[in-house]
């Protein structure tokens, strides 16, 4: 699930984990913020320490298992001991992954600039707003158009490569004897 302002409908279903920047939907592909992944899994028996390994995460992850929150994971390995929270039978897993702002800024470059952007080449980095848009100065809401964010400086162009984002995995439950 996503912030509905940034991804209309706010939810997608994934058959398997993929980088969000490779999703077919434009808004998902250019999403920046926190995406929440939810699933359930079964544990047949619990007689040794168990760990969850999230695999590849872009960029920061928060895990909650059966309602118990764990420390924020911000660097590999994205792994935590879940022995005290996992239970025999069904388990509810929630992983919140927060990515960088880059993909949203690249996405917004596909749409016309708001008033006040300089007259430089709109297709190149380095363009900027010579004056802030009236809606921003007046504290009004953002215009209801396709852009989702405001940056006073153009760091990216619409043709720049998107960064990998989201929970990419593979997600595994490991024991001390796992390879």
């Amino acid at each position: 699930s996503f912030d509905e302002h940034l991804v209309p409908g706010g939810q997608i279903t994934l058959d398997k984990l993929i980088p969000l920047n490779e999703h077919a939907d434009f808004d998902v592909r250019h999403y920046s913020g926190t995406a929440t992944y939810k699933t359930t899994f079964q544990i047949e028996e619990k007689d040794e320490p168990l760990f969850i390994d999230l695999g590849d995460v872009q960029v920061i992850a928060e895990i909650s298992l059966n309602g118990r929150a764990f420390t924020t994971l911000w660097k590999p390995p994205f792994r935590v001991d879940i022995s005290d929270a996992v239970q025999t039978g069904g388990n509810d897993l929630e992983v919140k992954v927060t990515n960088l702002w880059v993909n949203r800024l690249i996405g917004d470059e596909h749409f016309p600039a708001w008033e006040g952007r300089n007259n430089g080449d709109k297709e190149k980095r380095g363009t900027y707003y010579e004056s802030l848009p009236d809606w921003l100065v007046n504290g009004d809401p953002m215009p209801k158009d396709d852009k989702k964010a405001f940056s006073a400086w153009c760091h990216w162009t619409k043709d720049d490569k998107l960064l990998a984002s989201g929970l990419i995995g593979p997600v595994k439950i490991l024991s001390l004897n796992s390879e």
Side-chain angles (χ1 to χ4, degrees):
S1 61
F2 306 91
D3 177 332
E4 287 191 30
H5 169 70
L6 301 174
V7 176
Q11 293 188 348
I12 60 172
T13 299
L14 296 173
D15 295 328
K16 65 178 187 163
L17 293 175
I18 63 167
L20 293 179
N21 58 294
E22 295 177 7
H23 196 274
D25 182 272
F26 181 91
D27 291 318
V28 172
R29 199 168 50 250
H30 293 93
Y31 183 76
S32 289
T34 301
T36 302
Y37 297 77
K38 294 181 181 181
T39 193
T40 59
F41 64 92
Q42 299 287 322
I43 293 291
E44 298 302 320
E45 59 182 74
K46 181 188 148 196
D47 61 351
E48 60 182 313
L50 293 175
F51 301 84
I52 189 165
D53 186 320
L54 299 179
D56 188 359
V57 173
Q58 298 298 324
V59 173
I60 296 172
E62 300 172 70
I63 298 171
S64 175
L65 179 60
N66 298 324
R68 178 167 173 225
F70 292 86
T71 188
T72 300
L73 303 173
W74 60 276
K75 63 181 183 63
F78 292 94
R79 183 179 301 154
V80 67
D81 184 340
I82 59 171
S83 301
D84 292 339
V86 72
Q87 57 196 24
T88 302
N91 290 272
D92 295 317
L93 176 64
E94 179 179 276
V95 180
K96 293 182 178 183
V97 177
T98 304
N99 67 354
L100 299 175
W101 198 25
V102 174
N103 292 352
R104 178 71 264 149
L105 294 176
I106 292 170
D108 278 359
E109 288 303 310
H110 287 264
F111 308 111
W114 288 311
E115 88 263 2
R117 194 157 174 182
N118 73 352
N119 292 324
D121 185 345
K122 304 284 192 261
E123 301 298 315
K124 292 186 178 177
R125 289 177 193 82
T127 58
Y128 56 91
Y129 282 84
E130 292 177 339
S131 62
L132 296 176
D134 289 340
W135 62 265
L136 183 61
V137 172
N138 297 331
D140 295 333
M142 287 176 55
K144 301 268 188 228
D145 60 17
D146 293 316
K147 290 173 90 62
K148 308 281 191 215
F150 175 80
S151 175
W153 185 267
C154 177
H155 299 273
W156 309 95
T157 73
K158 68 181 181 180
D159 298 320
D160 284 323
K161 184 178 178 183
L162 297 174
L163 298 182
S165 69
L167 178 58
I168 300 167
V171 176
K172 298 177 185 177
I173 303 299
L174 305 172
S175 68
L176 290 177
N177 298 322
S178 296
E179 294 184 23

